[in-house]
Amino acid sequence: MNDVYKIISDTTMTYKQQLLSLARLAEGSEINLDLSDEYYNAKNDSVICDLNEGNAPYRPRYIIPDYSVLMNKGCDFLQLDAPTDLWEACNSLLIMYSHVPSITSFPVYLGGFDDLLEPFVTDLSDAEIEKCLRLFLLNIDRTLTDSFVHANIGPKDSRVGRIVLKLSEQMQLAIPNITLKYDEELTSDEFANLAITCMLKTAKPSFANHKMFVSEWSENYSIASCYNGLKIGGGGYTLPRLRMYELSQKAIDINDFMNNVLPKYTKIMCEFMDARVKFIVEESAFFKSNFLVTEKFLDINNFTGMFGMVGLNECVNNLLNIKDHSLGYGNNEKADEIGVEIMEKLSQLVADHKAPYCSGFNDQYRLHAQVGIDSDGREDSPGARIRVGNEPEIFEHIVHSGKFHKYFPTGIGDIFKFEETWLNTPNALLDIIKGAFKMNMRYFSGYLDSNDVVRVTGYLVKKSELYKLDSNKQSLNNVSIFGKGARDTGCALDRKVEKNVSTN
Amino acid sequence: MLAPINKIINFSNVDGPGNRCVIFFQSCPFKCLYCHNPETINYCNHCQKCVDKCMSSALSVVDNKVVYDSNKCINCDTCISVCDNFASPKINYMSVNDIIVKLIKLKPFIKGITVSGGECTNHKQFLIELFKEVKKLDLHILMDSNGNIDLSIEEELMDLVDGVMLDVKSVDDKFHYILTSKSCDMVLNNLDYLLSVDKLYEARTVLLPNFMVENLKTVNYVSKKLLLKSQYKLIKYRKYGVSEKGVDFFKDDTINDEDVKECLEIALKYCNNSFIV
Ligand code: SF4
Ligand code: SF4
């Protein structure tokens, strides 16, 4: 069936979803990028995946505006003065959100809610703050209908932060995704416990290892989209992925993989990224005329390209000829060692490539553990994650994650599903998170087995929305359809529930 | 010195404050009718009944003794269900050092340890050696006990322990005897002693179906003793894991909600930190 016709006649898509899909089609059809045959071969072999970014990129994939500019100065283009109270501040933000592009055309970053709004609440009662933020969150959920929309809170306790948590719990909304920047020394246990209770009930916020991000990015970092670490006032130009399982099939043995295959394809991918980045900066209008750039909400020096990868698990097991995944990566010291060696090598190869327009990042791209897309099936697990169903008990799982998270400054995370009793003991879960961050885990997500809002591979969906799609009804949320794919083909919701497991 | 360890749970959120590592010791002087893990009561007598029931070849016989291979075990617990000696072949004899090596890895994640069983005080000398080392790791120590030994004379042990979780199964001696095959006198002495030295982390009573008179008597007694000093956990009887004899004795699968409510109300009259699990 003709692709355009397929979209137009699809009764499960909303009008806006159809419009965006049609635009994506146009973006993909026009051949503007000058790419090598080697790239096209790699793409045809499914070794490199461009995540449907298309051939005519007209904006960076992820855009992280510095909203403090809006709070302090307002915006000429949007004819907004600097806000003087909480209502004006929320209104200005909502107006601006609808003008922030991204790969999905929804803003992937909404700002640090507490940093932006706390200055306006000093003289307000909790009831008024709550009323305002309730409308603010509701507006976001119903207009920015995409679970990659992401807000930050923390690391410090705040009235705004507490009310955002309280409302998230009450309202049970999938949007926005929220991250708490957590640092044992800056975040009070009390605030962290509130966040944990909220996380168990609504699958958000997730916890970001603040110390680790600050040491790499300075204070000026954000968590956007799924769990992507990016600079505020900047973003990520592009995110293609190496599909490591398919890559491993190109090698005769481990040596060949390390010394020939991995360097060859890393180079092809880096060159592909160079072409995209140059096109976005030099050809498309974005960096020349978009108000976000001209009014300094963005600075090109804060952008980098994200070198994505999936399927480390299956790659390692294939290289070691391990057929039974329960005995491989994540459950096997040798396999984990090979995994680390691959990551060391890949990091070095990517760092050695001189990337254009990444001057704020030593002219380097940064690695990203991509969460997978529904068409990945079960060949490539997300990023460096252990296959769903083969996770060891939580303690070993975290230690394993700690070995790999450091390689992915632009994002990696693990998700843990907990049984009901943990809701009564947020302190116990906080002990685990504190330990996890000491062991160099970068990003920790959790949810309760029995929730409606669940985390699929990085983004949130409502199970009830998935059921709607099952019965061919429309879902307002743009990513429910991905969630359905991940659930049906990737078993993403079958991950292990953390009980008290014995390992004697 | 080695001690028989039934199992170790690395992360537990239900055995004291925070996230804890729980160590279960084998053997218990009581034989409680409602014991949820009766396989911790006795030592294996090597009758070999379980050996060929294991589908994973994790059990074998060497010199007439049953030997367990944890690498082959798939934790199906078939061996435990066929054993009529209230024992388990899956016991690891561990040294203090074996346990400490494990705890060092867990330390970033846990507030402390809880020793349980079986009855951990059956191995009190081992506990003393273990706790000395655990203290060096700066971990909090809780001891889960049925109160069968006189804790007031175990000075060295009690100096090392931060708190005790004491089971008070019944304050009616006759009924206690029916439930456990032992008198309750020592348990009640220990309740007083632990309160006097401020080392009672929690008292616990299992609420039984069809024995409301006994339930109320115990809850009344204990909550009046605790007042505001310690928490009182009331546990609803559930038949899960209980031996056949116990299931027959208590008849119903669990205790009904009204009876639970009545017990809790009484507990809350005296002891403001009482709750049901
Ligand atoms: S565990 Fe039980 S059945 Fe198995 S040998 Fe020991 S006593 Fe016999
Ligand atoms: S639990 Fe017992 S029966 Fe089952 S595999 Fe392990 S040793 Fe064998």
Side-chain angles (χ1 to χ4, degrees):
Chain A
M1 213 189 329
N2 171 305
D3 286 343
V4 174
Y5 183 79
K6 216 156 120 189
I7 293 167
I8 292 173
S9 60
D10 189 337
T11 54
T12 65
M13 290 172 102
T14 65
Y15 170 73
K16 201 158 181 200
Q17 287 159 0
Q18 287 179 317
L19 185 71
L20 289 170
S21 299
L22 290 168
R24 290 292 279 277
L25 221 50
E27 203 183 340
S29 64
E30 191 79 14
I31 308 289
N32 284 320
L33 293 175
D34 186 17
L35 302 171
S36 64
D37 289 344
E38 277 181 317
Y39 165 74
Y40 284 111
N41 291 337
K43 189 178 173 185
N44 285 339
D45 294 350
S46 301
V47 172
I48 291 180
C49 160
D50 72 352
L51 279 175
N52 294 322
E53 282 187 7
N55 296 311
Y58 56 101
R59 57 355 199 164
R61 183 181 178 95
Y62 299 123
I63 292 171
I64 313 295
D66 182 355
Y67 294 106
S68 70
V69 177
L70 180 71
M71 297 292 103
N72 297 330
K73 293 194 199 142
C75 175
D76 287 344
F77 176 74
L78 298 173
Q79 299 169 45
L80 294 169
D81 292 332
T84 59
D85 65 22
L86 184 66
W87 296 89
E88 286 179 11
C90 288
N91 193 44
S92 289
L93 284 169
L94 289 172
I95 291 170
M96 184 144 170
Y97 291 154
S98 62
H99 294 274
V100 176
S102 78
I103 188 68
T104 63
S105 288
F106 291 99
V108 293
Y109 177 63
L110 303 181
F113 281 162
D114 42 7
D115 292 342
L116 297 169
L117 301 175
E118 193 75 9
F120 298 105
V121 304
T122 327
D123 300 327
L124 302 182
S125 67
D126 276 5
E128 186 172 0
I129 305 172
E130 224 178 285
K131 184 168 182 195
C132 183
L133 292 184
R134 184 184 293 278
L135 293 173
F136 180 64
L137 290 175
L138 193 65
N139 189 311
I140 289 168
D141 183 69
R142 300 302 142 83
T143 61
L144 307 178
T145 49
D146 184 300
S147 293
F148 297 112
V149 171
H150 205 133
N152 296 175
I153 55 174
K156 293 217 173 94
D157 195 345
S158 65
R159 288 175 79 198
V160 169
R162 282 182 186 236
I163 290 172
V164 165
L165 291 175
K166 179 175 166 192
L167 290 172
S168 298
E169 226 179 284
Q170 277 177 10
M171 296 166 78
Q172 288 281 322
L173 307 172
I175 305 165
N177 206 338
I178 302 176
T179 290
L180 171 69
K181 295 175 170 182
Y182 178 76
D183 178 346
E184 195 176 334
E185 280 158 42
L186 301 174
T187 317
S188 69
D189 281 2
E190 201 188 323
F191 189 50
N193 282 339
L194 290 173
I196 285 171
T197 308
C198 184
M199 171 175 83
L200 289 176
K201 288 185 177 165
T202 66
K204 64 185 179 183
S206 293
F207 282 63
N209 189 338
H210 185 66
K211 265 205 191 90
M212 192 167 179
F213 276 107
V214 168
S215 73
E216 295 158 337
W217 297 87
S218 82
E219 301 271 342
N220 216 22
Y221 78 97
S222 69
I223 304 295
S225 194
C226 290
Y227 48 45
N228 308 354
L230 291 164
K231 261 194 191 166
I232 294 176
Y237 291 115
T238 179
L239 169 58
R241 323 179 295 162
L242 265 189
R243 299 180 82 231
M244 301 296 278
Y245 172 66
E246 284 73 10
L247 192 64
S248 70
Q249 290 179 315
K250 300 240 169 237
I252 344 173
D253 55 23
I254 295 182
N255 257 333
D256 185 37
F257 182 82
M258 291 290 192
N259 299 321
N260 304 316
V261 176
L262 189 61
K264 175 178 166 191
Y265 285 91
T266 302
K267 181 159 177 276
I268 295 172
M269 190 146 106
C270 284
E271 285 169 1
F272 168 63
M273 292 173 72
D274 295 349
R276 294 191 68 82
V277 171
K278 283 186 187 154
F279 188 88
I280 294 167
V281 175
E282 294 168 6
E283 310 279 335
S284 88
F286 186 83
F287 280 101
K288 296 167 189 159
S289 61
N290 192 287
F291 79 99
L292 293 169
V293 177
T294 57
E295 293 196 40
K296 303 223 167 9
F297 291 98
L298 297 174
D299 177 344
I300 193 169
N301 293 317
N302 290 328
F303 279 84
T304 184
M306 299 156 75
F307 189 107
M309 59 89 89
V310 289
L312 184 62
N313 185 325
E314 290 78 5
C315 167
V316 167
N317 288 355
N318 186 40
L319 289 173
L320 289 174
N321 216 350
I322 297 171
K323 296 275 179 291
D324 178 353
H325 286 290
S326 68
L327 303 174
Y329 183 78
N331 297 284
N332 174 325
E333 238 171 81
K334 172 89 181 132
D336 294 349
E337 269 169 34
I338 298 289
V340 168
E341 271 174 46
I342 292 174
M343 287 318 305
E344 283 290 334
K345 179 88 185 181
L346 182 59
S347 304
Q348 197 51 50
L349 290 167
V350 172
D352 288 345
H353 176 80
K354 190 169 162 43
Y357 301 111
C358 296
S359 59
F361 293 82
N362 295 328
D363 306 316
Q364 286 165 338
Y365 296 135
R366 291 284 192 268
L367 277 166
H368 177 82
Q370 206 272 334
V371 292
I373 51 175
D374 57 343
S375 57
D376 285 341
R378 293 220 72 187
E379 261 95 72
D380 289 283
S381 289
R385 261 185 216 158
I386 301 166
R387 269 171 92 90
V388 167
N390 295 132
E391 303 96 331
E393 68 147 315
I394 184 165
F395 161 63
E396 274 149 26
H397 193 166
I398 290 172
V399 171
H400 181 270
S401 298
K403 289 186 200 152
F404 290 92
H405 280 203
K406 59 172 178 280
Y407 297 109
F408 299 96
T410 57
I412 185 167
D414 280 287
I415 310 173
F416 301 93
K417 187 155 103 175
F418 291 89
E419 55 166 12
E420 213 88 18
T421 60
W422 290 86
L423 202 48
N424 304 323
T425 59
N427 247 318
L429 190 39
L430 184 57
D431 285 340
I432 296 180
I433 294 173
K434 284 178 182 173
F437 284 2
K438 277 184 205 133
M439 304 297 289
N440 291 324
M441 184 169 219
R442 185 182 290 280
Y443 198 77
F444 184 107
S445 306
Y447 65 92
L448 275 194
D449 198 23
S450 53
N451 284 351
D452 186 27
V453 180
V454 295
R455 186 171 294 273
V456 181
T457 56
Y459 48 86
L460 305 175
V461 289
K462 285 192 162 192
K463 277 193 249 170
S464 52
E465 295 281 306
L466 294 186
Y467 298 137
K468 271 193 208 162
L469 284 176
D470 285 343
S471 54
N472 289 328
K473 290 193 188 113
Q474 294 178 359
S475 167
L476 188 59
N477 187 327
N478 217 23
V479 299
S480 295
I481 190 74
F482 300 152
K484 181 169 151 52
R487 182 197 61 183
D488 294 348
T489 61
C491 313
L493 299 185
D494 299 331
R495 70 175 55 83
K496 184 168 168 182
V497 184
E498 294 312 334
K499 303 196 191 87
N500 294 319
V501 193
S502 76
T503 58
N504 184 28
Chain B
M1 192 179 354
L2 298 176
I5 305 296
N6 182 287
K7 75 174 148 205
I8 294 180
I9 292 180
N10 290 340
F11 287 4
S12 166
N13 64 330
V14 294
D15 293 281
N19 188 40
R20 312 182 74 83
C21 172
V22 190
I23 302 160
F24 294 86
F25 287 79
Q26 184 70 9
S27 83
C28 182
F30 285 8
K31 295 201 174 23
C32 296
L33 280 168
Y34 56 67
C35 181
H36 288 281
N37 26 14
E39 76 279 7
T40 61
I41 295 176
N42 290 331
Y43 291 111
C44 169
N45 61 16
H46 301 281
C47 76
Q48 302 179 16
K49 184 175 171 194
C50 58
V51 175
D52 57 3
K53 301 291 184 317
C54 174
M55 307 297 270
S56 308
S57 321
L59 302 176
S60 56
V61 181
V62 178
D63 292 341
N64 277 327
K65 297 233 147 123
V66 176
V67 177
Y68 167 63
D69 180 350
S70 62
N71 292 325
K72 288 192 184 151
C73 174
I74 54 164
N75 285 311
C76 67
D77 284 352
T78 305
C79 49
I80 287 168
S81 70
V82 301
C83 175
D84 33 39
N85 176 37
F86 298 121
S88 162
K90 305 196 295 174
I91 303 300
N92 274 343
Y93 282 81
M94 294 178 84
S95 67
V96 168
N97 191 50
D98 293 338
I99 296 175
I100 292 296
V101 166
K102 213 169 166 44
L103 289 178
I104 288 172
K105 289 195 210 147
L106 294 172
K107 180 173 151 58
F109 301 91
I110 56 176
K111 278 243 156 54
I113 68 161
T114 302
V115 289
S116 184
E119 173 53 36
C120 59
T121 58
N122 268 9
H123 311 276
K124 62 185 184 201
Q125 207 47 48
F126 185 90
L127 290 183
I128 290 170
E129 300 310 315
L130 175 67
F131 292 168
K132 281 185 194 157
E133 296 304 312
V134 172
K135 278 282 147 208
K136 290 184 195 158
L137 296 177
D138 200 20
L139 289 168
H140 182 258
I141 298 172
L142 285 180
M143 197 168 84
D144 182 346
S145 175
N146 62 17
N148 181 59
I149 66 164
D150 185 355
L151 295 173
S152 68
I153 58 168
E154 300 296 338
E155 222 173 298
E156 197 177 6
L157 181 71
M158 290 312 297
D159 278 349
L160 290 159
V161 166
D162 294 299
V164 173
M165 299 143 115
L166 185 72
D167 284 329
V168 185
K169 294 167 202 288
S170 174
V171 297
D172 178 318
D173 203 39
K174 249 181 36 221
F175 191 59
H176 195 272
Y177 200 87
I178 295 172
L179 286 179
T180 70
S181 77
K182 288 266 159 55
S183 152
C184 68
D185 290 348
M186 186 56 77
V187 180
L188 300 185
N189 288 345
N190 278 321
L191 179 66
D192 289 336
Y193 160 72
L194 289 169
L195 283 166
S196 74
V197 294
D198 203 17
K199 289 226 166 163
L200 185 68
Y201 173 74
E202 150 184 299
R204 301 191 289 217
T205 297
V206 176
L207 304 177
L208 301 165
N210 304 314
F211 290 95
M212 258 319 259
V213 176
E214 289 78 3
N215 289 339
L216 290 173
K217 199 171 162 191
T218 304
V219 170
N220 232 306
Y221 179 96
V222 176
S223 47
K224 276 183 196 161
K225 288 270 184 195
L226 296 187
L227 299 173
L228 306 179
K229 290 183 207 150
S230 301
Q231 65 182 28
Y232 190 18
K233 187 193 270 184
L234 300 174
I235 302 167
K236 281 199 266 187
Y237 166 85
R238 294 171 183 89
K239 77 165 187 182
Y240 175 76
V242 173
S243 70
E244 230 169 277
K245 194 171 157 208
V247 171
D248 288 348
F249 183 81
F250 298 109
K251 296 189 188 79
D252 295 332
D253 292 355
T254 186
I255 174 169
N256 70 55
D257 289 346
E258 284 113 75
D259 288 352
V260 172
K261 205 171 145 223
E262 197 182 337
C263 293
L264 181 65
E265 270 165 17
I266 293 192
L268 286 172
K269 245 203 303 197
Y270 305 103
C271 164
N272 73 344
N273 196 358
S274 181
F275 54 96
I276 306 280
V277 296

